[in-house]
């Protein structure tokens, strides 16, 4: 009887060992496959970036213009915000703001819509820092949070802001529909009329 128990235990141990080895082999194969996929994806991304490089001839940023204008506006310098010169002709856009199924407002946008979480400068010295080696050495390189242009720290709400052609400033944290063509919202239907700009 004891021999049968020992043989059964031995068989169970051998089966478990084969199963574990099989799982390890499968895990290794999967991890090698994942590494190969990641490397292939990097190569494809590199090829696409090389074939379609980031434009180097954008000489003026409407996003930065909006951020500078907003910095003046929200810090009480509205005259500077409204008289800030723009070196290019700003396009007009059209936006409808929603709260659930209700339309909250419709506006003409002067220039562009910008994210409340766009900034003129980084908010920290390092976005990611990997510690390798002696932790005492890392203290010297601890991440330094940087203040925004108004001297404040932290994050803005997730949302958008824009200016209207008559110089009004609007922030919105809900849903919206934006286009460079005029449109109307009627009973949850979007309609638009094609217009041509004559200069």
């Amino acid at each position: 009887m004891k021999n049968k128990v020992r043989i059964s235990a031995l068989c169970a141990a051998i089966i478990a060992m084969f199963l574990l080895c099989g799982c390890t082999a499968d895990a290794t194969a999967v991890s090698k496959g994942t590494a190969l996929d990641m490397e292939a994806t990097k190569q494809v991304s590199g090829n696409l970036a090389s074939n379609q490089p980031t434009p180097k001839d954008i000489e003026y940023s409407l996003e930065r213009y909006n951020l500078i204008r907003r910095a003046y506006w929200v810090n009480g310098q509205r005259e500077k915000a409204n008289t800030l010169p723009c070196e290019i002709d700003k396009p007009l856009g059209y936006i409808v703001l929603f709260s659930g199924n209700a339309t909250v407002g419709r506006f003409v946008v002067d220039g562009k819509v910008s994210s409340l979480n766009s900034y003129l400068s980084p908010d920290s010295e390092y976005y990611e820092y990997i510690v390798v080696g002696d932790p005492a050495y890392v203290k010297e390189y601890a991440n330094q949070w940087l203040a925004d242009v108004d001297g404040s720290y932290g994050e803005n709400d997730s949302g958008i802001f824009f200016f209207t052609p008559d110089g009004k400033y609007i922030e919105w944290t809900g849903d919206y529909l934006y286009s460079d063509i005029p449109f109307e919202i009627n009973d949850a239907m979007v309609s638009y009329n094609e217009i041509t700009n004559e200069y």
Side-chain angles (χ1 to χ4, degrees), residues 38-170:
M38 288 169 50
E39 203 53 47
T41 302
K42 287 180 188 175
Q43 186 174 2
V44 168
S45 298
N47 290 341
L48 291 173
S50 178
N51 293 337
Q52 297 170 290
T54 302
K56 296 179 179 66
D57 57 348
I58 296 176
E59 297 176 1
Y60 194 83
S61 166
L62 281 177
E63 186 75 6
R64 290 183 68 82
Y65 171 82
N66 267 8
L67 293 170
I68 294 166
R69 191 174 178 189
R70 179 181 184 271
Y72 286 133
W73 184 270
V74 299
N75 287 289
Q77 299 180 49
R78 295 187 176 173
E79 183 65 29
K80 279 187 180 179
N82 283 330
T83 58
L84 184 68
C86 183
E87 294 184 16
I88 61 173
D89 289 333
K90 292 179 282 182
L92 290 181
Y94 305 89
I95 193 167
V96 178
L97 310 179
F98 298 100
S99 178
N101 291 328
T103 301
V104 175
R106 297 178 176 89
F107 300 94
V108 176
V109 178
D110 182 33
K112 73 181 298 289
V113 173
S114 293
S115 168
L116 286 168
N117 281 306
S118 286
Y119 297 94
L120 289 166
S121 58
D123 62 354
S124 65
E125 289 184 347
Y126 311 107
Y127 283 101
E128 293 179 5
Y129 193 79
I130 299 170
V131 178
V132 178
D134 184 4
Y137 175 76
V138 177
K139 291 177 185 170
E140 186 179 340
Y141 292 97
N143 199 13
Q144 298 292 318
W145 294 104
L146 305 174
D148 200 1
V149 293
D150 60 1
S152 66
Y153 296 86
E155 295 179 4
N156 291 334
D157 290 333
S158 293
I160 59 167
F161 74 90
F162 57 91
F163 291 89
T164 61
D166 60 349
K168 302 295 188 290
Y169 171 78
I170 297 170

